Amino acid sequence: MTDVILEKVGKTYPNGYHAIPSVDLSIEEGEFIVLVGPSGCGKSTLLRMVAGLESISTGELRIRGERMNEKEPAERDIAMVFQNYALYPHMSVYDNMAYGLKNRGMAKKMIEEKVSDVAAMLGLTELLQRKPRQLSGGQRQRVAMGRAMVRDPKVFLFDEPLSNLDAKLRVQMRVEIRQLQRKLGTTTLYVTHDQVEAMTLADRLVVLNKGKAEQIGTPMDLYNKPATPFVAAFIGSPSMNLVDANLTEQGIHLSETLTLPLSHQHRGDIVWGIRPEHLEVSDERNADFALRIQAVESLGAETLIHGKIETEFGNGEPMVVRLSGPHLPEVNSLMWLTAPMSHWHLFDAKTQQRL
Amino acid sequence: MIENRPWLTFASHATLLTGIALVALPVWMALVASTHPASAFGVGHIPLWFGDAGAETWGTVLFEKAGNGVDTPVWFMMLNSLIMALGITFGKIAISLLSAYAIVFFRFPFRNLCFWIIFMTLMLPVEVRIVPTYEVVANLDLLNSYTGLTLPLIASATATFLFRQCFLSIPGELVEAARIDGAGPWRFFFDILLPLSRTNIAALFVILFIYGWNQYLWPLLITTDDAYYTLVMSIKRMLSVTDGDIAWNQIMATTLLAMLPPVAVVIGMQKLFVKGLVDSEK
């Protein structure tokens, strides 16, 4: 069953700024959707429009079939977790969690039951009488989630909830959020700029760029078949190597002297891409091209090699190679590489669409 | 910086003690004077130690009549002063909380203009607008009433400004969280805003209470009935006896009594006062 539908939803600010031209998205019940993109791409704005904290200029938002555009946030049956948690500093953990229920006129007994249930689930039982300032970052994060969960809403909204935590805690909370969401089965919209978070959490990802949904799909879809160079560069770390090239009947001309043979009906300017992990080391005879090594980053389990494609005229396009295990090639030496055709990504340079 | 120089410690303590002595001396003299009979001042020297008429003077002043032409006892005038001071204080706090709330959290046309108009009233204290204000109060038939004593002094730009600053420091996410939690404007005001500005309210209470208690010109102007005389203005009336000797002992006792409530408020609320001015726990 479709739970949340965004139909041509757009946002224009009173000063004329076109933050979001038009986004279409339909979310199935229980799905975990992650909105991801660089800062300023409008992902938070979109989330806040679903929450009702920003007005919707054009289009329609429906939750369970009901139009929500004009409804107050409290009437939309959503719950939101904020980046800074936004816990009420003067209230105890219990009151923080109970406040929304109290305002809805729920009976005291019921509130107590619900809060203690959720507190037990999140391991907050001992902390119920504390004030937020007496809690650590991770505990505050849990309270913020608890506050959202007691309401038992139709939709959870998360606005970069992990960005204020340290790296270790972030990984732990990420796993926890995923497990809780699975357990509760609540439809979730999650905003982040962190692509690892996005890839690991999402059932489906929405990659936003300048207020436009570049691609919507499962993490693996986006990794294997990015629709645009933007998505290709955004998903995966280190990001995909993208080279401006030209496609003719001989193949792809990466530079004037370097051509990769390919028969394709498309002609003209293209962007050719291959992920760092798909490049393979080979000997000089079988290689597609050579890389002039500029820097080596050894991470133990893998090695990242930064270099430039060697051409007759010296400087070529920069490229990153990711090899598993330790490698110690010398800087400034040449490295011969093959780029398996099955891993190529081709995009039209003009329309920025996948070929 | 930790220094251990005994003479420096000594010097700084000596300076402080001298300062305290200078400030406290008039109070001390008032206290001593109130324990001597009224005639003790006629002879030309000022006594520096307690006399034996203290209990009698204080008793008379506090419970019978203040003397020097003022026939109401001090406790009654204290009550009037207290009603006026508390009326002004609570009125000011309530009104400026509401106006600051409107200015910070609601979008309405000419919002900024409203704020600046309120702010400009800083330039119009009672002393400046006393004649028109008197006219208005007289026309409303509020002379000789508690309403007349407090109402014209209630509007406060300073307090509005202070609360505005306090509200502006409340993070927007908190406001949004409350909206999602289903708190309407009133709920938000009482459940979130008031508790968060608790310390500011306390600090303001101290300042405004002293302001209200010390009102002199306005009560002097609009009260002609003994039943509404406040303590501070009565001291002046006690000094303007035309015939006979001024009973300084009674005046001193009254003055000291007039000082007590503000001192009590400052001491009692010192901690909150400092907290409200210095830190914000948001």
Side-chain angles (χ1 to χ4, degrees), chain B residues 190-206:
Chain B
F190 285 110
D191 291 347
I192 314 278
L193 221 46
L194 273 191
L196 283 181
S197 30
R198 207 184 71 239
T199 50
N200 291 68
I201 293 174
L204 221 76
F205 180 88
V206 174

Side-chain angles (χ1 to χ4, degrees), chain A residues 35-54:
Chain A
L35 302 173
V36 67
S39 48
C41 70
K43 54 191 191 296
S44 279
T45 310
L46 193 61
L47 188 81
R48 291 162 55 80
M49 282 157 75
V50 176
L53 299 170
E54 298 271 358

Side-chain angles (χ1 to χ4, degrees), chain A residues 23-285:
Chain A
V23 170
D24 279 296
L25 176 66
S26 64
I27 305 171
E28 299 295 315
E29 193 176 344
E31 218 179 353
F32 199 119
I33 297 282
V34 174
L35 302 173
V36 67
S39 48
C41 70
K43 54 191 191 296
S44 279
T45 310
L46 193 61
L47 188 81
R48 291 162 55 80
M49 282 157 75
V50 176
L53 299 170
E54 298 271 358
S55 61
I56 297 170
S57 319
T58 54
E60 191 175 68
L61 167 73
R62 289 196 296 271
I63 298 179
R64 304 240 165 120
E66 203 183 335
R67 183 183 158 94
M68 288 289 161
N69 289 32
E70 289 79 23
K71 296 235 165 150
E72 272 291 301
E75 296 166 352
R76 296 188 182 196
D77 205 2
I78 46 112
M80 188 154 168
V81 176
F82 293 89
Q83 184 174 356
N84 302 322
Y85 319 137
L87 301 176
Y88 311 119
H90 59 291
M91 291 188 194
S92 66
V93 170
Y94 179 89
D95 288 331
N96 260 291
M97 285 163 69
Y99 189 59
L101 301 178
K102 246 180 236 168
N103 286 339
R104 280 174 176 71
M106 191 182 274
K108 261 212 170 115
K109 258 267 174 67
M110 279 269 279
I111 295 179
E112 238 178 81
E113 225 168 85
K114 285 206 162 200
V115 172
S116 56
D117 278 358
V118 170
M121 204 189 300
L122 291 169
L124 291 171
T125 312
E126 322 269 271
L127 308 174
L128 280 179
Q129 295 316 315
R130 296 235 196 128
K131 293 274 169 68
R133 65 167 172 278
Q134 297 164 307
L135 302 177
S136 68
Q139 289 168 335
R140 279 182 213 185
Q141 168 66 48
R142 274 210 187 91
V143 176
M145 277 167 50
R147 185 169 65 179
M149 280 162 57
V150 283
R151 292 254 318 279
D152 204 5
K154 287 190 195 118
V155 186
F156 278 141
L157 305 173
F158 290 90
D159 191 1
E160 307 208 15
L162 302 182
S163 53
N164 281 3
L165 299 177
D166 61 64
K168 200 174 150 201
L169 208 51
R170 202 177 303 165
V171 175
Q172 189 191 330
M173 288 307 290
R174 196 169 76 202
V175 176
E176 229 166 274
I177 288 180
R178 188 65 182 127
Q179 282 171 348
L180 275 171
Q181 196 268 344
R182 283 261 159 78
K183 198 155 129 196
L184 299 170
T186 311
T187 311
T188 301
L189 256 174
Y190 186 107
V191 162
T192 181
H193 61 263
D194 183 302
Q195 54 122 341
V196 179
E197 235 171 70
M199 295 286 279
T200 50
L201 282 170
D203 288 325
R204 277 195 301 154
L205 274 168
V206 180
V207 180
L208 284 169
N209 180 26
K210 293 181 190 140
K212 246 185 67 207
E214 291 264 335
Q215 192 174 4
I216 302 173
T218 65
M220 279 307 112
D221 269 355
L222 267 62
Y223 178 83
N224 291 330
K225 284 194 157 80
T228 65
F230 179 84
V231 177
F234 195 80
I235 301 294
S237 168
S239 59
M240 187 189 284
N241 298 305
L242 294 169
V243 180
D244 290 325
N246 197 295
L247 188 57
T248 63
E249 50 267 29
Q250 283 101 43
I252 300 168
H253 301 280
L254 292 184
S255 69
E256 276 170 44
T257 51
L258 182 60
T259 304
L260 299 174
L262 176 76
S263 68
H264 197 286
Q265 70 280 13
H266 187 84
R267 296 283 171 270
D269 286 340
I270 61 157
V271 178
W272 175 80
I274 186 159
R275 294 196 181 275
E277 51 269 41
H278 295 144
L279 286 164
E280 286 165 13
V281 184
S282 70
D283 50 46
E284 193 171 342
R285 230 157 7 107

